[in-house]
Amino acid sequence: IRSFLYLIAFCVLYLFLMKMDLSRLFVIAMLMSLGGVLIMNRIVYVFITQYFRKSDGFLKKVIIIGYNETSKRLAKQLEEDRIGTEIIGYCEDAKMVHELSNYPIVGNVSDAIELSRNYNVSEIFSTITPEQNENIYQLIEKADQACIRFRIIPNFNFYLHFPVHTDFLGDMPVFSRRKEPLD
C-alpha cells in the first residue's frame, strides 16, 4: 500500500511539473485500475498459498539428524515456512537427548534413510557434520541413491559469535559480517 501511494504521489507530481496534456479521468482510471489489480493479485496469492498449505500433495516431509541448538533453530525456521513443511522428527542417539522436544526422536542417526523411506520423507537435514560423525558420508550416499535430498546445516557458533553472510568464491564458502550491496 505504501509503495502504491508513493507511485500515485510521484505520478501526480510528475504530471504537475511536466504540465502534460493528459486527461485527468484517464490518469485516475489508470491508477485506480492498477490499485485494483494489485489488490486482486494479493487476494489470489493468499488463496493459492492457503490451498498449497492444506494440500497433502505439496507437503514437504523432513527429518532432522541431530538434536542440538542448531536443530531446534532449524525446526523453528521450518515451522515458519510459507508452504507446508511437516517435520517427522529427529534422528539422534537416545543417550544424546537430555530434554523433551516438540517432535519425537524417531530413531538413531544410522536409521535415517530407512525411516525416511517409511515416512515418505523428501528431505533430510543434518545438523551433525561429517567431521562429527563419519557415518554421515554413508548416509549422504544412501540418500542420493534413494532420491532423498540431503542437506547439511553446519554450526558455526563455535567459531563465530555474530550473524554471517555466506558467499562463494568458486566452490569455497566465504563468510562476512554483512552483505555489501555494490559488491
Side-chain angles (χ1 to χ4, degrees):
I1 292 174
R2 187 179 328 128
S3 297
F4 182 65
L5 293 176
Y6 287 148
L7 175 70
I8 290 175
F10 178 74
C11 287
V12 169
L13 182 65
Y14 179 78
L15 292 173
F16 177 74
L17 292 176
M18 294 312 232
K19 297 180 181 168
M20 299 185 77
D21 291 332
L22 288 176
S23 167
R24 288 184 207 139
L25 182 62
F26 174 75
V27 173
I28 291 172
M30 290 303 293
L31 291 175
M32 291 302 121
S33 63
L34 178 63
V37 168
L38 289 174
I39 290 171
M40 289 302 298
N41 179 17
R42 184 57 70 182
I43 291 171
V44 168
Y45 171 77
V46 168
F47 281 121
I48 289 174
T49 303
Q50 291 298 324
Y51 171 76
F52 283 135
R53 280 186 184 167
K54 293 177 183 175
S55 175
D56 286 340
F58 294 100
L59 191 64
K60 179 173 64 172
K61 296 181 180 182
V62 301
I63 285 182
I64 301 174
I65 295 178
Y67 185 72
N68 49 41
E69 290 303 316
T70 304
S71 64
K72 291 181 217 174
R73 285 194 349 246
L74 173 64
K76 186 175 181 178
Q77 189 68 37
L78 290 173
E79 288 171 352
E80 296 171 0
D81 191 14
R82 301 294 292 171
I83 303 295
T85 300
E86 179 183 355
I87 301 172
I88 301 300
Y90 298 99
C91 288
E92 181 63 272
D93 298 326
K95 63 185 176 190
M96 300 296 288
V97 179
H98 305 292
E99 64 184 1
L100 294 175
S101 68
N102 292 342
Y103 299 100
I105 308 296
V106 293
N108 293 330
V109 173
S110 58
D111 301 332
I113 303 300
E114 183 179 325
L115 290 167
S116 298
R117 287 183 184 143
N118 292 343
Y119 287 105
N120 198 21
V121 167
S122 60
E123 282 187 71
I124 298 173
F125 288 92
S126 177
T127 59
I128 299 174
T129 61
E131 288 75 26
Q132 294 170 315
N133 185 343
E134 290 188 12
N135 293 333
I136 299 296
Y137 287 120
Q138 295 171 354
L139 291 176
I140 292 171
E141 285 297 321
K142 290 179 183 177
D144 195 35
Q145 292 170 0
C147 296
I148 300 171
R149 291 185 195 99
F150 196 97
R151 302 180 190 272
I152 297 175
I153 310 291
N155 184 2
F156 292 111
N157 290 342
F158 297 117
Y159 312 109
L160 305 171
H161 300 289
F162 52 85
V164 296
H165 170 72
T166 307
D167 205 5
F168 285 90
L169 185 62
D171 62 347
M172 295 183 298
V174 178
F175 303 109
S176 59
R177 184 83 188 218
R178 68 190 63 77
K179 180 179 172 137
E180 297 179 19
L182 297 177
D183 194 15

